[in-house]
């Protein structure tokens, strides 16, 4: 018995085979904005169901706060999440991406 083929049950000659490998690759985007205006690009990636790692090291503190506020609203509207993964580094994920686990900060450790 050939398990890759099912009987042809429709009149047009198409088979009823459904691929179990329907999940496409997910591209993770890395963005290091320098100004608040670049935040829309991050939101556009999230709207396209792509997770984004945002490095805010090059943004002034007041601008970084605005970026996080904007992205928090974006991921909330999309049913996603935002998590801090390092000093000034965040991962923003749309609803189709699940992040498991946490990263703890190493405080006062001079080895790193």
């Amino acid at each position: 018995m050939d398990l890759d083929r099912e009987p042809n049950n429709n009149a047009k000659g198409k088979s009823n085979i459904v691929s179990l490998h329907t999940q496409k690759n997910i591209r993770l985007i890395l963005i290091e904005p320098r100004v608040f205006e670049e935040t829309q690009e991050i939101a556009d990636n999230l709207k396209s169901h792509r997770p984004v790692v945002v490095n805010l090291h090059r943004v002034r503190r007041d601008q970084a706060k605005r970026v996080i506020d904007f992205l928090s609203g974006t991921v909330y509207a999309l049913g996603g999440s935002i998590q801090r993964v390092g000093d000034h580094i965040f991962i923003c994920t749309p609803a189709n991406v699940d992040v498991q686990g946490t990263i703890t900060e190493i405080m006062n450790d001079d080895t790193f």
Side-chain angles (χ1 to χ4, degrees):
M1 175 178 207
D2 186 1
L3 296 178
D4 292 334
R5 296 190 164 246
E6 293 182 13
N8 184 358
N9 293 331
N10 64 21
K12 295 185 180 183
K14 295 180 182 176
S15 67
N16 293 327
I17 298 174
V18 176
S19 173
L20 295 177
H21 302 287
T22 57
Q23 183 176 355
K24 62 181 180 177
N25 291 336
I26 295 177
R27 180 175 303 171
L28 176 67
I29 309 297
L30 305 175
I31 297 183
E32 193 172 64
R34 294 172 189 257
V35 292
F36 175 77
E37 288 72 25
E38 295 177 42
T39 308
Q40 185 173 347
E41 177 186 354
I42 300 167
D44 290 341
N45 278 293
L46 291 166
K47 285 173 42 180
S48 296
H49 307 287
R50 289 186 290 265
V52 182
V53 173
V54 183
N55 182 347
L56 296 174
H57 280 103
R58 295 180 180 240
V59 180
R60 290 189 341 249
R61 184 177 179 90
D62 63 320
Q63 294 290 303
K65 183 172 176 10
R66 288 183 63 203
V67 168
I68 294 304
D69 288 346
F70 183 87
L71 293 177
S72 293
T74 301
V75 296
Y76 175 78
L78 297 173
S81 69
I82 184 169
Q83 292 183 7
R84 185 177 178 176
V85 293
D87 189 32
H88 305 289
I89 301 174
F90 297 82
I91 185 165
C92 302
T93 56
N96 67 314
V97 176
D98 183 32
V99 177
Q100 295 181 351
T102 58
I103 296 178
T104 58
E105 292 185 43
I106 300 173
M107 301 296 233
N108 300 322
D109 189 351
D110 294 332
T111 62
F112 289 99

